[in-house]
mmCIF file of all heavy atoms in Angstrom:
data_model
loop_
_atom_site.group_PDB
_atom_site.id
_atom_site.type_symbol
_atom_site.label_atom_id
_atom_site.label_comp_id
_atom_site.label_asym_id
_atom_site.label_seq_id
_atom_site.Cartn_x
_atom_site.Cartn_y
_atom_site.Cartn_z
ATOM 1 N N TYR A 34 -42.882 -20.590 -22.103
ATOM 2 C CA TYR A 34 -44.128 -21.145 -22.590
ATOM 3 C C TYR A 34 -44.055 -22.668 -22.547
ATOM 4 O O TYR A 34 -43.017 -23.265 -22.776
ATOM 5 C CB TYR A 34 -44.354 -20.774 -24.045
ATOM 6 C CG TYR A 34 -44.558 -19.316 -24.354
ATOM 7 C CD1 TYR A 34 -43.482 -18.456 -24.510
ATOM 8 C CD2 TYR A 34 -45.838 -18.823 -24.526
ATOM 9 C CE1 TYR A 34 -43.696 -17.114 -24.798
ATOM 10 C CE2 TYR A 34 -46.054 -17.493 -24.823
ATOM 11 C CZ TYR A 34 -44.979 -16.643 -24.954
ATOM 12 O OH TYR A 34 -45.170 -15.324 -25.259
ATOM 13 N N TYR A 36 -46.191 -25.870 -24.384
ATOM 14 C CA TYR A 36 -47.196 -26.395 -25.308
ATOM 15 C C TYR A 36 -47.115 -27.917 -25.280
ATOM 16 O O TYR A 36 -46.113 -28.489 -24.899
ATOM 17 C CB TYR A 36 -46.917 -25.933 -26.750
ATOM 18 C CG TYR A 36 -47.222 -24.486 -27.050
ATOM 19 C CD1 TYR A 36 -46.349 -23.482 -26.629
ATOM 20 C CD2 TYR A 36 -48.348 -24.149 -27.745
ATOM 21 C CE1 TYR A 36 -46.628 -22.148 -26.890
ATOM 22 C CE2 TYR A 36 -48.639 -22.813 -28.036
ATOM 23 C CZ TYR A 36 -47.777 -21.837 -27.605
ATOM 24 O OH TYR A 36 -48.059 -20.516 -27.890
ATOM 25 N N GLN A 38 -48.298 -31.499 -27.784
ATOM 26 C CA GLN A 38 -48.782 -31.947 -29.052
ATOM 27 C C GLN A 38 -49.105 -33.441 -28.960
ATOM 28 O O GLN A 38 -48.223 -34.276 -28.740
ATOM 29 C CB GLN A 38 -47.756 -31.705 -30.167
ATOM 30 C CG GLN A 38 -48.287 -32.021 -31.554
ATOM 31 C CD GLN A 38 -47.298 -31.686 -32.641
ATOM 32 O OE1 GLN A 38 -46.087 -31.662 -32.421
ATOM 33 N NE2 GLN A 38 -47.791 -31.427 -33.847
ATOM 34 N N SER A 41 -50.268 -36.282 -34.280
ATOM 35 C CA SER A 41 -50.969 -35.867 -35.515
ATOM 36 C C SER A 41 -51.965 -34.763 -35.304
ATOM 37 O O SER A 41 -52.868 -34.554 -36.114
ATOM 38 C CB SER A 41 -51.679 -37.080 -36.164
ATOM 39 O OG SER A 41 -50.736 -38.002 -36.618
ATOM 40 N N GLY A 43 -52.402 -30.401 -33.955
ATOM 41 C CA GLY A 43 -51.662 -29.162 -33.769
ATOM 42 C C GLY A 43 -51.266 -29.000 -32.304
ATOM 43 O O GLY A 43 -51.947 -29.492 -31.397
ATOM 44 N N PRO A 44 -50.168 -28.287 -32.029
ATOM 45 C CA PRO A 44 -49.794 -28.048 -30.627
ATOM 46 C C PRO A 44 -50.880 -27.283 -29.885
ATOM 47 O O PRO A 44 -51.595 -26.463 -30.453
ATOM 48 C CB PRO A 44 -48.519 -27.204 -30.766
ATOM 49 C CG PRO A 44 -47.954 -27.560 -32.097
ATOM 50 C CD PRO A 44 -49.160 -27.797 -32.956
ATOM 51 N N TYR A 46 -51.595 -24.888 -26.537
ATOM 52 C CA TYR A 46 -51.021 -24.025 -25.515
ATOM 53 C C TYR A 46 -51.444 -24.539 -24.140
ATOM 54 O O TYR A 46 -52.603 -24.906 -23.903
ATOM 55 C CB TYR A 46 -51.502 -22.594 -25.698
ATOM 56 C CG TYR A 46 -51.296 -21.697 -24.511
ATOM 57 C CD1 TYR A 46 -50.038 -21.166 -24.238
ATOM 58 C CD2 TYR A 46 -52.339 -21.391 -23.652
ATOM 59 C CE1 TYR A 46 -49.840 -20.339 -23.143
ATOM 60 C CE2 TYR A 46 -52.143 -20.568 -22.574
ATOM 61 C CZ TYR A 46 -50.902 -20.054 -22.309
ATOM 62 O OH TYR A 46 -50.707 -19.242 -21.220
ATOM 63 N N HIS A 49 -47.998 -20.174 -19.589
ATOM 64 C CA HIS A 49 -46.747 -19.415 -19.756
ATOM 65 C C HIS A 49 -46.533 -18.549 -18.528
ATOM 66 O O HIS A 49 -47.471 -18.270 -17.745
ATOM 67 C CB HIS A 49 -46.727 -18.591 -21.026
ATOM 68 C CG HIS A 49 -47.578 -17.329 -20.957
ATOM 69 N ND1 HIS A 49 -48.939 -17.327 -21.174
ATOM 70 C CD2 HIS A 49 -47.246 -16.039 -20.711
ATOM 71 C CE1 HIS A 49 -49.411 -16.134 -21.059
ATOM 72 N NE2 HIS A 49 -48.435 -15.322 -20.787
ATOM 73 N N TYR A 87 -43.526 -29.363 -25.092
ATOM 74 C CA TYR A 87 -42.467 -28.444 -25.531
ATOM 75 C C TYR A 87 -42.349 -27.271 -24.543
ATOM 76 O O TYR A 87 -43.324 -26.616 -24.213
ATOM 77 C CB TYR A 87 -42.789 -27.865 -26.906
ATOM 78 C CG TYR A 87 -42.852 -28.877 -28.014
ATOM 79 C CD1 TYR A 87 -44.079 -29.376 -28.445
ATOM 80 C CD2 TYR A 87 -41.695 -29.318 -28.663
ATOM 81 C CE1 TYR A 87 -44.144 -30.291 -29.485
ATOM 82 C CE2 TYR A 87 -41.755 -30.226 -29.701
ATOM 83 C CZ TYR A 87 -42.983 -30.720 -30.112
ATOM 84 O OH TYR A 87 -43.053 -31.608 -31.136
ATOM 85 N N GLY A 93 -41.700 -11.349 -25.850
ATOM 86 C CA GLY A 93 -42.926 -10.900 -26.474
ATOM 87 C C GLY A 93 -42.630 -9.872 -27.534
ATOM 88 O O GLY A 93 -41.481 -9.496 -27.746
ATOM 89 N N LEU A 94 -43.657 -9.378 -28.209
ATOM 90 C CA LEU A 94 -43.478 -8.458 -29.319
ATOM 91 C C LEU A 94 -42.712 -7.215 -28.866
ATOM 92 O O LEU A 94 -41.829 -6.730 -29.549
ATOM 93 C CB LEU A 94 -44.845 -8.040 -29.894
ATOM 94 C CG LEU A 94 -44.803 -7.007 -31.001
ATOM 95 C CD1 LEU A 94 -44.007 -7.521 -32.182
ATOM 96 C CD2 LEU A 94 -46.216 -6.649 -31.434
ATOM 97 N N ALA A 99 -40.864 -10.817 -32.416
ATOM 98 C CA ALA A 99 -41.969 -10.675 -33.337
ATOM 99 C C ALA A 99 -42.164 -11.893 -34.227
ATOM 100 O O ALA A 99 -43.104 -11.982 -34.958
ATOM 101 C CB ALA A 99 -41.762 -9.464 -34.221
ATOM 102 N N GLY A 101 -41.796 -16.345 -34.999
ATOM 103 C CA GLY A 101 -42.450 -17.527 -34.479
ATOM 104 C C GLY A 101 -41.732 -18.130 -33.282
ATOM 105 O O GLY A 101 -40.682 -17.679 -32.839
ATOM 106 N N LEU A 102 -42.333 -19.186 -32.794
ATOM 107 C CA LEU A 102 -41.777 -19.925 -31.662
ATOM 108 C C LEU A 102 -40.751 -20.921 -32.166
ATOM 109 O O LEU A 102 -40.873 -21.455 -33.251
ATOM 110 C CB LEU A 102 -42.909 -20.668 -30.928
ATOM 111 C CG LEU A 102 -43.998 -19.794 -30.314
ATOM 112 C CD1 LEU A 102 -45.129 -20.663 -29.842
ATOM 113 C CD2 LEU A 102 -43.447 -18.968 -29.192
ATOM 114 N N PHE A 104 -39.447 -24.463 -31.670
ATOM 115 C CA PHE A 104 -39.771 -25.743 -31.074
ATOM 116 C C PHE A 104 -38.595 -26.700 -31.197
ATOM 117 O O PHE A 104 -38.108 -26.910 -32.303
ATOM 118 C CB PHE A 104 -40.960 -26.377 -31.787
ATOM 119 C CG PHE A 104 -42.293 -25.767 -31.419
ATOM 120 C CD1 PHE A 104 -42.676 -24.563 -31.966
ATOM 121 C CD2 PHE A 104 -43.157 -26.420 -30.559
ATOM 122 C CE1 PHE A 104 -43.915 -24.002 -31.641
ATOM 123 C CE2 PHE A 104 -44.391 -25.880 -30.229
ATOM 124 C CZ PHE A 104 -44.760 -24.656 -30.779
ATOM 125 N N GLY A 105 -38.155 -27.279 -30.062
ATOM 126 C CA GLY A 105 -37.196 -28.351 -30.132
ATOM 127 C C GLY A 105 -37.908 -29.673 -30.271
ATOM 128 O O GLY A 105 -39.002 -29.743 -30.843
ATOM 129 N N TYR B 35 -45.887 -23.182 -39.934
ATOM 130 C CA TYR B 35 -44.797 -24.030 -39.518
ATOM 131 C C TYR B 35 -44.848 -25.328 -40.316
ATOM 132 O O TYR B 35 -45.888 -25.766 -40.769
ATOM 133 C CB TYR B 35 -44.931 -24.409 -38.025
ATOM 134 C CG TYR B 35 -44.768 -23.274 -37.054
ATOM 135 C CD1 TYR B 35 -45.857 -22.496 -36.689
ATOM 136 C CD2 TYR B 35 -43.556 -23.010 -36.462
ATOM 137 C CE1 TYR B 35 -45.741 -21.473 -35.758
ATOM 138 C CE2 TYR B 35 -43.409 -21.997 -35.529
ATOM 139 C CZ TYR B 35 -44.509 -21.230 -35.195
ATOM 140 O OH TYR B 35 -44.357 -20.223 -34.269
ATOM 141 N N GLN B 37 -43.589 -29.455 -39.882
ATOM 142 C CA GLN B 37 -43.082 -30.464 -38.950
ATOM 143 C C GLN B 37 -42.805 -31.755 -39.722
ATOM 144 O O GLN B 37 -43.666 -32.275 -40.406
ATOM 145 C CB GLN B 37 -44.106 -30.723 -37.852
ATOM 146 C CG GLN B 37 -43.561 -31.645 -36.753
ATOM 147 C CD GLN B 37 -44.539 -31.779 -35.609
ATOM 148 O OE1 GLN B 37 -45.749 -31.782 -35.801
ATOM 149 N NE2 GLN B 37 -44.015 -31.925 -34.399
ATOM 150 N N GLY B 42 -39.317 -31.226 -34.132
ATOM 151 C CA GLY B 42 -40.102 -30.090 -33.689
ATOM 152 C C GLY B 42 -40.604 -29.291 -34.876
ATOM 153 O O GLY B 42 -40.413 -29.662 -36.031
ATOM 154 N N LEU B 43 -41.226 -28.161 -34.612
ATOM 155 C CA LEU B 43 -41.786 -27.318 -35.661
ATOM 156 C C LEU B 43 -40.721 -26.321 -36.136
ATOM 157 O O LEU B 43 -39.961 -25.792 -35.336
ATOM 158 C CB LEU B 43 -42.992 -26.544 -35.129
ATOM 159 C CG LEU B 43 -44.316 -27.285 -35.046
ATOM 160 C CD1 LEU B 43 -44.289 -28.370 -34.002
ATOM 161 C CD2 LEU B 43 -45.429 -26.294 -34.765
ATOM 162 N N LEU B 45 -40.337 -22.700 -38.474
ATOM 163 C CA LEU B 45 -41.125 -21.563 -38.983
ATOM 164 C C LEU B 45 -40.841 -21.329 -40.478
ATOM 165 O O LEU B 45 -39.705 -21.186 -40.873
ATOM 166 C CB LEU B 45 -40.762 -20.300 -38.171
ATOM 167 C CG LEU B 45 -41.522 -19.044 -38.513
ATOM 168 C CD1 LEU B 45 -43.008 -19.201 -38.173
ATOM 169 C CD2 LEU B 45 -40.910 -17.858 -37.780
ATOM 170 N N TYR B 48 -44.293 -15.772 -41.415
ATOM 171 C CA TYR B 48 -45.188 -15.185 -40.460
ATOM 172 C C TYR B 48 -45.621 -13.792 -40.921
ATOM 173 O O TYR B 48 -44.951 -13.154 -41.722
ATOM 174 C CB TYR B 48 -44.580 -15.117 -39.049
ATOM 175 C CG TYR B 48 -43.357 -14.235 -38.912
ATOM 176 C CD1 TYR B 48 -43.461 -12.953 -38.400
ATOM 177 C CD2 TYR B 48 -42.100 -14.718 -39.240
ATOM 178 C CE1 TYR B 48 -42.346 -12.156 -38.275
ATOM 179 C CE2 TYR B 48 -40.974 -13.925 -39.119
ATOM 180 C CZ TYR B 48 -41.086 -12.645 -38.610
ATOM 181 O OH TYR B 48 -39.975 -11.857 -38.492
ATOM 182 N N GLN B 50 -47.419 -10.207 -39.219
ATOM 183 C CA GLN B 50 -47.864 -9.496 -38.039
ATOM 184 C C GLN B 50 -49.075 -8.608 -38.337
ATOM 185 O O GLN B 50 -49.760 -8.172 -37.397
ATOM 186 C CB GLN B 50 -46.744 -8.624 -37.469
ATOM 187 C CG GLN B 50 -45.579 -9.415 -36.916
ATOM 188 C CD GLN B 50 -45.949 -10.171 -35.635
ATOM 189 O OE1 GLN B 50 -46.886 -9.812 -34.921
ATOM 190 N NE2 GLN B 50 -45.233 -11.250 -35.348
ATOM 191 N N LEU B 90 -48.561 -26.700 -40.157
ATOM 192 C CA LEU B 90 -49.372 -26.142 -39.077
ATOM 193 C C LEU B 90 -49.427 -24.627 -39.169
ATOM 194 O O LEU B 90 -48.424 -23.964 -39.410
ATOM 195 C CB LEU B 90 -48.772 -26.539 -37.719
ATOM 196 C CG LEU B 90 -48.934 -28.019 -37.398
ATOM 197 C CD1 LEU B 90 -47.826 -28.480 -36.487
ATOM 198 C CD2 LEU B 90 -50.294 -28.285 -36.769
ATOM 199 N N PRO B 98 -48.118 -8.462 -24.657
ATOM 200 C CA PRO B 98 -46.696 -8.647 -24.348
ATOM 201 C C PRO B 98 -46.219 -10.078 -24.417
ATOM 202 O O PRO B 98 -45.053 -10.321 -24.664
ATOM 203 C CB PRO B 98 -46.597 -8.111 -22.905
ATOM 204 C CG PRO B 98 -47.984 -8.186 -22.362
ATOM 205 C CD PRO B 98 -48.890 -7.962 -23.534
ATOM 206 N N SER B 99 -47.082 -11.065 -24.259
ATOM 207 C CA SER B 99 -46.607 -12.426 -24.287
ATOM 208 C C SER B 99 -46.909 -13.149 -25.583
ATOM 209 O O SER B 99 -46.176 -14.033 -25.994
ATOM 210 C CB SER B 99 -47.211 -13.240 -23.120
ATOM 211 O OG SER B 99 -48.625 -13.260 -23.240
ATOM 212 N N GLU B 100 -47.980 -12.786 -26.264
ATOM 213 C CA GLU B 100 -48.279 -13.312 -27.594
ATOM 214 C C GLU B 100 -48.324 -14.834 -27.667
ATOM 215 O O GLU B 100 -47.606 -15.461 -28.427
ATOM 216 C CB GLU B 100 -47.256 -12.786 -28.612
ATOM 217 C CG GLU B 100 -47.392 -11.306 -28.826
ATOM 218 C CD GLU B 100 -46.618 -10.856 -30.040
ATOM 219 O OE1 GLU B 100 -46.056 -11.675 -30.753
ATOM 220 O OE2 GLU B 100 -46.569 -9.640 -30.240
ATOM 221 N N THR B 101 -49.190 -15.409 -26.880
ATOM 222 C CA THR B 101 -49.431 -16.842 -26.968
ATOM 223 C C THR B 101 -49.935 -17.189 -28.350
ATOM 224 O O THR B 101 -50.775 -16.508 -28.896
ATOM 225 C CB THR B 101 -50.463 -17.248 -25.902
ATOM 226 O OG1 THR B 101 -49.961 -16.913 -24.616
ATOM 227 C CG2 THR B 101 -50.759 -18.731 -25.988
ATOM 228 N N GLN B 102 -49.436 -18.288 -28.918
ATOM 229 C CA GLN B 102 -49.871 -18.737 -30.229
ATOM 230 C C GLN B 102 -50.862 -19.889 -30.102
ATOM 231 O O GLN B 102 -50.685 -20.778 -29.273
ATOM 232 C CB GLN B 102 -48.670 -19.148 -31.077
ATOM 233 C CG GLN B 102 -47.799 -17.974 -31.447
ATOM 234 C CD GLN B 102 -46.711 -18.329 -32.440
ATOM 235 O OE1 GLN B 102 -46.745 -19.329 -33.115
ATOM 236 N NE2 GLN B 102 -45.708 -17.449 -32.535
ATOM 237 N N PHE B 104 -52.853 -22.897 -32.354
ATOM 238 C CA PHE B 104 -52.591 -23.659 -33.569
ATOM 239 C C PHE B 104 -53.865 -24.278 -34.142
ATOM 240 O O PHE B 104 -54.794 -24.623 -33.421
ATOM 241 C CB PHE B 104 -51.609 -24.770 -33.288
ATOM 242 C CG PHE B 104 -50.189 -24.291 -33.138
ATOM 243 C CD1 PHE B 104 -49.762 -23.749 -31.936
ATOM 244 C CD2 PHE B 104 -49.292 -24.357 -34.189
ATOM 245 C CE1 PHE B 104 -48.460 -23.283 -31.782
ATOM 246 C CE2 PHE B 104 -47.989 -23.893 -34.052
ATOM 247 C CZ PHE B 104 -47.598 -23.361 -32.853
ATOM 248 N N GLY B 105 -53.850 -24.415 -35.468
ATOM 249 C CA GLY B 105 -54.896 -25.168 -36.143
ATOM 250 C C GLY B 105 -54.597 -26.654 -36.101
ATOM 251 O O GLY B 105 -53.568 -27.069 -35.554
ATOM 252 N N ARG B 109 -51.679 -32.482 -43.667
ATOM 253 C CA ARG B 109 -50.586 -33.381 -43.994
ATOM 254 C C ARG B 109 -50.489 -33.462 -45.512
ATOM 255 O O ARG B 109 -51.411 -33.873 -46.191
ATOM 256 C CB ARG B 109 -50.850 -34.783 -43.411
ATOM 257 C CG ARG B 109 -49.620 -35.659 -43.421
ATOM 258 C CD ARG B 109 -49.818 -36.905 -42.545
ATOM 259 N NE ARG B 109 -49.997 -36.582 -41.141
ATOM 260 C CZ ARG B 109 -49.021 -36.335 -40.269
ATOM 261 N NH1 ARG B 109 -47.761 -36.349 -40.692
ATOM 262 N NH2 ARG B 109 -49.287 -36.087 -39.010
#
Side-chain angles (χ1 to χ4, degrees):
Chain A
Y34 295 83
Y36 286 77
Q38 187 176 26
S41 294
Y46 164 78
H49 75 278
Y87 297 98
L94 177 61
L102 299 170
F104 284 77
Chain B
Y35 294 86
Q37 187 175 34
L43 280 67
L45 182 67
Y48 63 99
Q50 293 291 336
L90 290 152
S99 61
E100 293 193 5
T101 300
Q102 292 188 18
F104 286 81
R109 194 167 296 278

